[in-house]
Amino acid sequence: MLTRCRDRRMRVCHFRVGTCAPLPPSHTVIMGEVELSCRAYVKMYLHACLYPRGSINGLLLSSSSAEGAVCVTDCVPLRHSHLPLALPTQVALTQVDAWCSQTQQRIVGYYQANACASDSSPTQCALKISDKIAEQFDGAVLLMLDGSKMPPDYRVPPIVMYERKDSRWILKDKHMIMLRQWEETRAIASQMLEAGDHALLVDFDSHLDDITKDWTNQKLNAKIAELSSPPNGNI
Amino acid sequence: MASVSEMYDVGWEEMRDKLRKWREDNRRNSEQIVDVGEELISEHASKLGDDIWIIYEQVMIAALDCSRDDLALTCLQELRKQFPDSHRVKRLAGMRLEALERYEEANKHYDAILQDDPTNTAARKRKIAILKAQGKSTEAIRELNEYLEQFVGDQEAWHELSELYINEHDYGKAAFCLEELMMTNPHNHLYCEQYAEVKYTQGGLENMELSRKYFAQALRLNNRNMRALFGLYMSASHIASSPKVSAKVKKDNIKYAAWAATQINRAYKLAGRGTKETKYSVKAVEEMLESMQITMS
């Protein structure tokens, strides 16, 4: 059956976005702050663009152990169909866990984009998986991609973030969400979409359909790194 | 911007044949269909003969999928000129309204078709699709159930209903829909495997045993179905570690799980040969299987 989903469109939102200036060496990290790297954002974005007609989700990873702040340095795209069905997600979580312990990373959060572009509220499935992640990591975050805020000319990160307080997921203060070099990140995401690079993205669903496909997306990571300007601190 | 024929060095016949193949396979690769179809229509329309009408339809639907209303309108207008009273074309006009999110008008379109022809399944299904697009899952489910009472053999509808139920976490009813599909398509490994996944998600010993049986069945039908292999491993492991099973059942399921684990390892080793990217997967799978052994024993 053919159902049409809206283009993921955009709206203005207030986030603290970094400028292109390099980080001063004495930058102190604020308690409860969450930083989203270029690589993590671009892959999430491409995942959403690769499957625009359905819900998608994935895991957020961190390779840093900075105290007080959560630095999302990477993400692993998981599903693009039948999100509530448990088996592929369980297999994925165990494999990603194993990979993380080999590579000094940890799972720090979860992202999802809903099929209905105008609805960015977390589903039962999103809450369940995020709860599981929060059991293992205190500062876990739940990130919803807001499809209504993603047209070609969007200005601000189309994301809504939740954090866990008193066993509930509540909206995180936008000012505590940091995207360094946002303009550049946005440009890279758009450029890669234009070039059709989203077709290279592998999520766990497509890995299970063909296990020669690499769900760590090394190729895509390399492309993103290539397109980034010489590093000013983390990207 | 180079044309499709230039980029891929193909002639118009190949483009036409490609479109036909995509039609027959019911593929939703809309961006490609738009690229190929638009060029074919604008430059080779005269050579296509009567094929052109079905191509207009195919390209129009793809154009709607890509927000190319300009192209969609062009195709629609050609079709309207040629088939002024056709319900099939009216349905396309309705789909265009849906794409523009003018759902009220679209519904009126479909209602008009149904007034004329109450057995028009396409119009009924479009109305259900509108409910789905509007996020009205409960209504969509109710309408689809009513539809299936009348058109009980419509497999596409059964599958759509199973998806709607899965999204509502109503696994019992999703399983029922998949049972219908398995009955009419006993050789389709995907329905078996999806049924098994639903049972697995439902949980509980009885469902887990059913799940294991159907994962095994899916593997019999297609021994390369990786999800079924993982499913067999996980469901057998769960049964083996349940305190409610007899020693014999435990022993049997440990055997099944061990067999599945060997197959998984073998498949990953084969996949990992020659590609350094998949080395992460291979190692991760080994660790995963080891860690589950620990919880099982």
Side-chain angles (χ1 to χ4, degrees), chain A residues 1-7 9 49 52-53 55 79 81-88 90-91 94-99 101-103 116 123-125 128 198 204-209 211-216 218-219, chain B residues 28 30-31 61 64-65 67 95 98-99 101 103 125-126 128-129 132-133 135 156 159-160 163 166-167 169 171 194 197-198 200-201 215 226-227 230-231 234 238 267-268 271 277-278 280-281 283-285 287-288 291:
Chain A
M1 266 179 91
L2 193 73
T3 55
R4 193 191 180 270
C5 282
R6 272 173 63 179
D7 292 325
R9 271 178 224 170
C49 293
R53 294 143 195 148
S55 303
R79 319 284 308 276
S81 72
H82 301 115
L83 268 61
L85 291 184
L87 181 81
Q90 278 181 14
V91 173
T94 336
Q95 280 202 34
V96 175
D97 241 341
W99 181 56
S101 50
Q102 292 164 34
T103 51
C116 202
T123 58
Q124 211 185 95
C125 170
K128 229 164 116 188
H198 55 306
F204 230 87
D205 268 341
S206 40
H207 169 76
L208 288 175
D209 291 337
I211 56 173
T212 61
K213 291 196 174 157
D214 169 29
W215 50 262
T216 67
Q218 297 302 312
K219 280 211 178 89
Chain B
R28 194 172 170 178
S30 302
E31 286 91 351
I61 295 177
L64 291 178
D65 225 9
S67 295
M95 283 178 79
E98 284 185 62
E101 291 181 307
Y103 296 123
K125 292 205 259 192
R126 286 321 311 162
I128 295 170
K132 188 175 169 186
E156 182 189 60
H159 200 249
E160 184 64 38
E163 291 211 10
I166 288 170
N167 283 323
H169 303 270
Y171 301 118
Q194 257 182 37
E197 279 196 53
V198 169
Y200 182 90
T201 310
F215 278 130
M226 214 55 210
R227 286 160 205 269
F230 272 115
M234 305 277 280
H238 277 294
Y268 268 87
E277 288 126 0
T278 49
Y280 297 116
S281 269
K283 195 113 210 304
V285 166
E287 274 203 38
M288 171 190 125
S291 72

Side-chain angles (χ1 to χ4, degrees), chain B residues 2 18 22 56 65 81 88 116 122 134 145 149 157 178-179 183 190 206 237 261 263 273 280:
Chain B
K18 241 325 183 306
W22 290 334
Y56 272 133
D65 225 9
K81 269 194 292 193
R88 189 161 162 178
D116 238 11
Q134 293 174 312
N145 268 301
E149 273 168 35
L178 288 162
E179 281 162 11
M183 271 202 305
L190 294 171
E206 217 178 285
S237 306
Q263 301 304 309
R273 275 207 221 126
Y280 297 116

